[in-house]
Amino acid sequence: MLGLLLAFGTAISEALKDIFSKENLRFADEYTVAFSMHLVISVVLAPIVLVMGVEEVSTRFLYALFASSFIQLAVILLYMKAIKRAELSVTVPLVTLTPLFMLLSSPILIGQFPSFMGIGGILLIVIGTYLLNMEGSRSGFLAPFKNLIYSQSSRYMLIVAFLWSITANIDKVGVEETSPIFWAFSKDLLILMYLVPIVFLKSKAPLAQMKGRWLQLLGIGMFRTTSVLTQMFAIQFILVAYVISIKRSSALLIILYAIIFLHERENLKLRLLAIGIISAGLALIAIS
């Protein structure tokens, strides 16, 4: 049960991070946003790591750290470019393919394979999340896949979905070798170091951008921090594929907020159907 609660915390944090990121990418470039996000999480976790003490690391940990950080660097830049240049309703549904990719990557990389009931739950969450994201699209049900042909942003997001199916499993290795907090800090600090030369080479006046929107960028970083930590703790208790499936259902939370607080009732039947499908998927994972 604790693992499920932590996974839900990941979904909430991820939804808020995406909302803040999309809004801030209208005013700041993707390199500055990515740099700021990893700067915040590194600064927040550094004193905690110092208090807990720097842990001894194994060769396996170092392999996992460099592999995950390098892949994650590509992921975060591709993700930011995708949501900056295209509508979320077209690109984000492709990320729901990550749990499907993990049905292959998890058994190969870490020897984890969901039960039949768990697989059913994953598929229901993918379908429900897809419906939630598609209800606002004017291009039809297959819009994300059609856009693979015409849209570079959609191709970026498909790559992101596949790479996340790899890094999520590597995270499991890193957490097993040390601890959730130390792994999260080590990985994001290394990504931050990668981003230092990139942001100053590719971004225009990054310091001015950060100064002008420091509070908003701080919010993105804080939501990223809670998302990462809850995910790392969650994978200690339940299968990685389950955690990522629940994480990808963050769109459900955004839709519920819009219905309840913003009174957005368009396509309400489709939204309620999608919410019901996702809820059924979550229930299957919970009892599997």
Side-chain angles (χ1 to χ4, degrees):
M1 182 58 68
L2 179 58
L4 291 174
L5 292 175
L6 289 168
F8 279 117
T10 303
I12 294 171
S13 300
E14 194 70 12
L16 293 171
K17 176 185 72 68
D18 285 347
I19 293 171
F20 269 64
S21 295
K22 179 62 176 177
E23 177 63 23
N24 280 277
L25 283 166
R26 295 167 53 196
F27 308 98
D29 61 61
E30 58 269 31
Y31 306 104
T32 300
V33 173
F35 176 82
S36 302
M37 186 171 66
H38 288 88
L39 177 62
V40 170
I41 188 172
S42 297
V43 171
V44 170
L45 294 183
I48 301 176
V49 170
L50 290 175
V51 170
M52 294 177 59
V54 177
E55 300 184 30
E56 293 185 9
V57 298
S58 64
T59 302
R60 186 168 180 252
F61 171 87
L62 293 176
Y63 283 143
L65 177 62
F66 284 105
S68 180
S69 61
F70 185 75
I71 297 173
Q72 192 65 34
L73 172 66
V75 165
I76 194 63
L77 292 178
L78 289 173
Y79 188 83
M80 291 294 178
K81 286 178 181 291
I83 65 174
K84 180 182 178 71
R85 299 176 183 180
E87 294 181 5
L88 290 177
S89 62
V90 175
T91 55
V92 169
L94 291 169
V95 181
T96 63
L97 295 175
T98 296
L100 296 182
F101 289 136
M102 293 186 70
L103 293 179
L104 295 176
S105 63
S106 290
I108 294 172
L109 294 175
I110 57 176
Q112 285 188 351
F113 195 83
S115 65
F116 286 113
M117 191 175 294
I119 293 174
I122 290 173
L123 293 176
L124 287 176
I125 290 174
V126 169
I127 293 170
T129 305
Y130 194 93
L131 289 176
L132 280 178
N133 282 283
M134 289 313 305
E135 55 86 22
S137 175
R138 298 178 180 177
S139 302
F141 185 79
L142 297 177
F145 298 101
K146 292 178 181 177
N147 274 276
L148 287 174
I149 301 174
Y150 306 108
S151 171
Q152 186 180 49
S153 295
S154 292
R155 291 194 292 272
Y156 283 165
M157 200 60 85
L158 183 63
I159 295 172
V160 166
F162 174 72
L163 292 179
W164 261 337
S165 73
I166 297 174
T167 59
N169 289 303
I170 299 176
D171 287 337
K172 177 68 173 178
V173 175
V175 168
E176 287 177 343
E177 290 295 310
T178 52
S179 67
I181 293 178
F182 187 78
W183 168 252
F185 171 74
S186 301
K187 185 176 70 170
D188 279 82
L189 179 61
L190 194 54
I191 295 172
L192 178 66
M193 293 172 64
Y194 296 154
L195 284 168
V196 170
I198 294 174
V199 74
F200 284 102
L201 287 173
K202 302 288 290 185
S203 179
K204 295 181 180 179
L207 295 179
Q209 292 185 57
M210 286 186 281
K211 182 178 179 181
R213 300 192 64 80
W214 70 270
L215 186 59
Q216 294 89 340
L217 294 172
L218 176 64
I220 296 174
M222 293 304 297
F223 290 130
R224 159 74 179 181
T225 302
T226 55
S227 174
V228 168
L229 289 181
T230 50
Q231 178 179 331
M232 297 310 159
F233 279 103
I235 61 179
Q236 290 187 307
F237 299 100
I238 59 178
L239 295 185
V240 179
Y242 294 166
V243 175
I244 300 304
S245 297
I246 296 172
K247 177 181 179 180
R248 294 277 69 86
S249 69
S250 57
L252 180 152
L253 304 173
I254 298 174
I255 297 299
L256 285 177
Y257 176 83
I259 292 174
I260 297 172
F261 296 103
L262 302 181
H263 306 290
E264 296 180 2
R265 304 297 170 85
E266 294 182 6
N267 299 310
L268 184 59
K269 291 183 178 179
L270 180 58
R271 292 182 178 192
L272 293 177
L273 172 63
I275 290 171
I277 292 173
I278 292 174
S279 299
L282 296 173
L284 282 179
I285 289 177
I287 64 177
S288 66

